[in-house]
Amino acid sequence: MADIDIKDIIKEENLIYTKPKVITDTVMHYCPGCSHGVAHKLVAEVIDDMDIQDKTIGISPVGCSVLAYNYLDIDWQQAAHGRAPALATAAKRLMPNHYVFTYQGDGDLASIGAAEILHACNRGENITVIFINNAIYGMTGGQMAPTTLVGMKTATSPYGRSTELNGYPLKITELIAQLPGVAYVTRQSVHTPAAVRKTKKAIRKGFENQDKKIGTSFIEIVSTCSSGWKLSPVKSNEWMEEHMFKFYPLGDLKDSEKESEESYKKYIE
Amino acid sequence: MENLKTNKIFISGDEAVAHGVRLSRPHVIAAYPITPQTITVERLSEMVENGELDSDYMHVESEHSALSAAMGASSVGARTFTATSSQGLLYMVEAMHYASGGRYPIVMMNANRSVALPWSIYGDQRDSLSQLDSGWIQVYVEDAQEALDMMIQAYKIAEHAKVLTPMMVNLDGFILTHTYEMVEIPDQAMVDKFLPVFETPNKMCFENPKNMAFSSQPDDNTEFKYQQNQAMFDAIEVIEQTEKEFGELFGRNYQSMVEEINCDDADAVLVTLGSITGTVRVVMEQLRARGLKVGILKIRYMRPFPEKEIMALSHKIKAIGVIDKDISFGYEGTIFTNVNSALAKSNASIFKKNFIGGLGGRDITKAEIEKMYHDLLAGITSNNQKTVEFFNLKVETND
């Protein structure tokens, strides 16, 4: 076999993958195995694919992904804890030709910010919501969240979540799917290449829905938190598949303008 | 002093707070996690779940709910605890005024942390100093031991019949919350003796039904606020008495409203709040060894304010400097404003200077503190310095 020169390999026609243009060179602070990295990349790829870098506005939350503005080279605004949907509402209404999305974790969206997300979705704001659900408060060190599974051990439920004391995990995505203002609700994950592709399609659809002006698009990504769960990245994925997917099953919860109209009719009857 | 059973362990400031709370036996704990308060609530939830602490732990959905839940518990006569920091404290603000106006003796730990924007998890004292007018007693501690001790004292002060006012125990984020120190854990029996079970007539109960929160009209609102203010002044005597009793029983004394360190013969005194006092002690001693007459006024309570102590001190010294890890935009540091008001009342004409810095977690170094003392000593003879100065400022300024 003839020697191959590296110069023969590094050629445009051999290029099969590059980092999305929108992703900056900043080193991410996320822990190994965290789903945020892949989720960020998918949002960036969608922005690249749709060629909307100059007209995309992201609203970052409080939590691990508060620093998302360091990683995606678009316009960003940071909201007070849980208030991203309110900021997104205003941004989109004043700049209707921009693509506006919130990127929120469960500690932000399903807990302190439950009121804002429900009301933004109920108003049918023409925004896209990326909801990272890892059933824990990641940034503060793994405390129990409203989304924490029954029996799950966290820093503030060291013997496992008790339904007697803390109720059942909040399926906020199912709640949101009931609202007539919402056009698209889906629950995805990024634990396998196939799941990553599905999630990317969902995010793309969420962004494209803004052109159709059919209401809010809500994309939950069931995610891992290796540090908070005290599991290795591989074990985290296994644990997620075994436990999280049972309670938070993947798939579309609501899709299409038609369905939205039907549910609205039903709602007002 | 009674026969002391010493039990020293190596723990963080947050854990020291958790032990102080455990020993105070609250009936209800309601909290929402926020850095750098989290270790406190994690330890407490662990203590509740493993049975060390017989208390109800409420996992709520926000700080606003945490303090509201604490009020609900307090209104039936329960001893309650909550903990927060920074943004969480600010989110509680509406409920803080409810708690103080309703005279609920809730005790709260606040981990002092900077306030957004720019968003920062690191320490300064802008969060709690912005809430001096919320009607809460505010104490600031210097180390983990003082944090533990003040949790126990806080219940005794807040629940006193003449006071019945909520109390906030402040400790510097990370510098105290996450630093490990040897801390003596008092004996439960001694704490029980010092802090009996909370009894109050100011509660809802079947025997003597009461409405604990209500509206007022212009006819009576001022009288409510007058009583609230009076209770805060009455708290001074209770604080002094509690401090004395605590010292006799546990052998640790923090003086009281303030701690004066080498102030009697001092020319220049630096006013400190919280953990920075430790660094200033070291510098002060080094300068003393070189023959400079310098001292420290460690303010412990910001509300009620140690006006009497500052007025008395102003007649003994020639220069006073105030370190503020805080800025009231458009004016000066809040501690300085408060100190200045007391100096004006005493008609003291001494050299005064406000040092603003340490914001958003920036370290304050020994060299910077030494320069502050030199500025103060120089100011006694020639006053050509700015009254309010940002130190270690890394941008060029025109002034």
Side-chain angles (χ1 to χ4, degrees):
Chain A
M1 209 172 108
D3 285 344
I4 301 171
D5 193 327
I6 190 81
K7 282 177 197 153
D8 295 325
I9 298 172
I10 307 174
K11 284 179 182 167
E12 191 85 2
E13 62 265 31
N14 288 335
L15 197 62
I16 53 165
Y17 179 80
T18 58
K19 181 169 71 67
K21 197 173 69 185
V22 165
I23 294 265
T24 65
D25 288 331
T26 313
V27 177
M28 287 187 181
H29 73 289
Y30 299 118
C31 308
C34 171
S35 307
H36 273 307
V38 182
H40 278 26
K41 188 192 77 160
L42 296 180
V43 174
E45 282 182 356
V46 167
I47 295 170
D48 272 3
D49 294 349
M50 291 173 69
D51 195 21
I52 54 171
Q53 183 178 13
D54 292 341
K55 43 183 176 178
T56 301
I57 297 170
I59 314 291
S60 74
V62 168
C64 287
S65 50
V66 63
L67 300 174
Y69 44 66
N70 289 336
Y71 309 134
L72 267 68
D73 184 15
I74 51 170
D75 287 352
W76 283 100
Q77 172 65 267
Q78 186 189 330
H81 205 187
R83 317 303 154 198
L87 269 76
T89 297
K92 182 67 181 181
R93 287 188 180 199
L94 292 173
M95 301 172 94
N97 296 326
H98 282 63
Y99 296 84
V100 178
F101 74 98
T102 70
Y103 187 104
Q104 305 175 258
D106 51 309
D108 187 86
L109 182 145
S111 184
I112 199 165
E116 268 74 10
I117 193 65
L118 283 172
H119 287 284
C121 289
N122 192 44
R123 293 190 302 268
E125 297 297 341
N126 189 18
I127 57 171
T128 306
V129 177
I130 313 286
F131 169 40
I132 305 292
N133 178 11
N134 55 17
I136 209 164
Y137 289 98
M139 182 173 236
T140 46
Q143 295 81 16
M144 185 173 69
T147 42
T148 297
L149 298 181
V150 174
M152 190 172 161
K153 290 177 182 172
T154 71
T156 48
S157 59
Y159 297 90
R161 178 181 184 141
S162 130
T163 52
E164 198 189 326
L165 288 175
N166 308 304
Y168 285 87
L170 180 60
K171 290 188 174 186
I172 197 154
T173 306
E174 275 78 355
L175 276 177
I176 281 164
Q178 305 305 310
L179 302 172
V182 179
Y184 176 48
V185 180
T186 189
R187 183 184 283 125
Q188 301 294 337
S189 186
V190 290
H191 64 302
T192 61
V196 168
R197 279 195 292 274
K198 276 191 192 166
T199 303
K200 185 177 170 184
K201 268 176 76 178
I203 295 171
R204 169 119 193 187
K205 188 183 179 113
F207 274 76
E208 284 175 348
N209 279 349
Q210 293 195 30
D211 292 330
K212 297 180 192 159
K213 299 183 173 60
I214 54 173
T216 314
S217 297
F218 188 95
I219 298 133
E220 173 179 343
I221 303 175
V222 181
S223 301
T224 58
C225 179
S226 300
S227 297
W229 295 357
K230 315 267 183 258
L231 294 172
S232 71
V234 172
K235 288 264 184 244
S236 294
N237 269 341
E238 287 168 9
W239 193 88
M240 178 170 69
E241 284 184 69
E242 197 180 327
H243 299 95
M244 294 276 282
F245 292 172
K246 251 187 229 162
F247 194 79
Y248 300 114
L250 305 188
D252 289 348
L253 281 88
K254 185 179 195 177
D255 187 9
S256 93
E257 204 172 347
K258 195 164 157 276
E259 204 184 318
S260 173
E261 271 170 16
E262 275 169 9
S263 81
Y264 181 67
K265 272 181 209 153
K266 239 171 119 183
Y267 184 77
I268 56 172
E269 262 163 23
Chain B
M1 205 196 320
E2 297 208 355
N3 188 21
L4 276 183
K5 277 184 202 161
T6 56
N7 174 26
K8 279 198 172 184
I9 54 173
F10 190 55
I11 50 173
S12 68
D14 268 353
E15 286 169 306
V17 169
H19 281 287
V21 173
R22 171 181 60 79
L23 290 163
S24 305
R25 300 184 192 266
H27 301 98
V28 175
I29 298 164
Y32 186 76
I34 181 166
T35 305
Q37 149 264 42
T38 38
I39 306 166
T40 298
V41 297
E42 287 171 12
R43 289 296 167 275
L44 284 169
S45 55
E46 201 178 312
M47 289 167 182
V48 169
E49 290 201 14
N50 69 20
E52 264 179 272
L53 171 58
D54 182 16
S55 188
D56 276 323
Y57 189 107
M58 294 176 66
H59 295 269
V60 289
E61 68 277 17
S62 75
E63 287 88 357
H64 198 271
S65 313
L67 189 50
S68 298
M71 276 170 53
S74 194
S75 69
V76 294
R79 182 172 284 165
T80 60
F81 176 73
T82 187
T84 191
S85 176
S86 177
Q87 310 300 134
L89 183 77
L90 298 191
Y91 194 37
M92 277 183 180
V93 169
E94 185 191 12
M96 282 172 69
H97 287 257
Y98 265 87
S100 60
R103 309 291 294 276
Y104 300 115
I106 298 161
V107 170
M108 163 155 71
M109 167 267 211
N110 180 55
N112 282 121
R113 166 184 149 179
S114 188
V115 171
L117 286 169
W119 189 79
S120 166
I121 58 168
Y122 300 107
D124 61 40
Q125 293 166 331
R126 291 192 49 232
D127 53 356
S128 55
L129 287 176
S130 77
Q131 295 311 315
L132 289 181
D133 296 345
S134 65
W136 284 58
I137 298 171
Q138 281 198 10
V139 69
Y140 292 75
V141 302
E142 184 183 343
D143 57 30
Q145 184 70 61
E146 193 181 356
L148 184 152
D149 292 344
M150 286 319 295
M151 298 319 303
I152 300 167
Q153 285 197 32
Y155 282 105
K156 184 131 179 158
I157 295 162
E159 291 170 358
H160 192 283
K162 283 174 82 180
V163 179
L164 284 176
T165 293
M167 178 153 167
M168 189 194 301
V169 179
N170 292 281
L171 59 161
D172 282 306
F174 290 108
I175 297 173
L176 292 186
T177 59
H178 284 58
T179 302
Y180 280 66
E181 294 178 53
M182 291 301 291
V183 175
E184 186 177 311
I185 310 296
D187 181 57
Q188 181 70 64
M190 278 169 67
V191 175
D192 289 346
K193 190 177 163 194
F194 176 79
L195 182 69
V197 175
F198 178 40
E199 293 289 351
T200 178
N202 194 37
K203 65 177 178 185
M204 297 192 292
C205 63
F206 291 125
E207 292 75 33
N208 185 16
K210 265 196 180 110
N211 179 356
M212 296 287 293
F214 44 85
S215 310
S216 80
Q217 297 298 324
D219 267 355
D220 47 25
N221 193 291
T222 307
E223 286 65 31
F224 276 112
K225 294 299 139 187
Y226 175 82
Q227 288 180 58
Q228 216 181 315
N229 189 42
Q230 199 52 48
M232 192 67 100
F233 281 124
D234 290 346
I236 294 175
E237 200 191 320
V238 175
I239 287 165
E240 286 164 353
Q241 184 56 34
T242 304
E243 190 63 55
K244 196 164 159 273
E245 265 179 55
F246 187 90
E248 282 165 8
L249 202 53
F250 296 96
R252 284 185 296 279
N253 196 301
Y254 300 99
Q255 296 190 20
S256 189
M257 296 290 287
V258 297
E259 183 185 344
E260 289 188 19
I261 308 140
N262 281 340
C263 285
D264 284 343
D265 68 336
D267 291 331
V269 164
L270 258 183
V271 177
T272 61
L273 190 72
S275 64
I276 189 60
T277 314
T279 319
V280 179
R281 280 177 198 270
V282 174
V283 178
M284 185 268 296
E285 275 159 21
Q286 286 169 351
L287 296 182
R288 278 267 164 187
R290 281 159 32 197
L292 299 177
K293 288 182 175 175
V294 290
I296 304 170
L297 180 75
K298 169 186 164 186
I299 292 186
R300 299 185 70 242
Y301 285 85
M302 279 301 291
R303 285 293 181 275
F305 193 67
E307 185 185 69
K308 187 181 70 186
E309 289 80 358
I310 293 169
M311 286 171 75
L313 178 71
S314 70
H315 297 300
K316 295 195 283 192
I317 60 174
K318 295 171 185 158
I320 193 164
V322 176
I323 304 176
D324 257 291
K325 292 203 286 188
D326 162 74
I327 174 71
S328 177
F329 303 112
Y331 200 28
E332 57 197 12
T334 296
I335 310 169
F336 188 62
T337 303
N338 280 269
V339 169
N340 243 335
S341 172
L343 294 178
K345 286 175 194 161
S346 73
N347 291 319
S349 62
I350 56 175
F351 178 70
K352 291 167 271 186
K353 186 160 177 178
N354 189 195
F355 302 96
I356 312 274
L359 301 179
R362 183 174 294 176
D363 284 339
I364 300 174
T365 64
K366 287 193 282 182
E368 283 156 11
I369 293 163
E370 188 176 337
K371 186 176 177 301
M372 290 174 200
Y373 272 124
H374 287 306
D375 283 358
L376 294 180
L377 291 168
I380 295 169
T381 47
S382 76
N383 188 356
N384 58 357
Q385 299 178 49
K386 277 195 304 177
T387 306
V388 181
E389 189 181 290
F390 279 71
F391 62 92
N392 190 16
L393 191 61
K394 295 181 182 175
V395 291
E396 293 290 322
T397 58
N398 290 328
D399 44 44

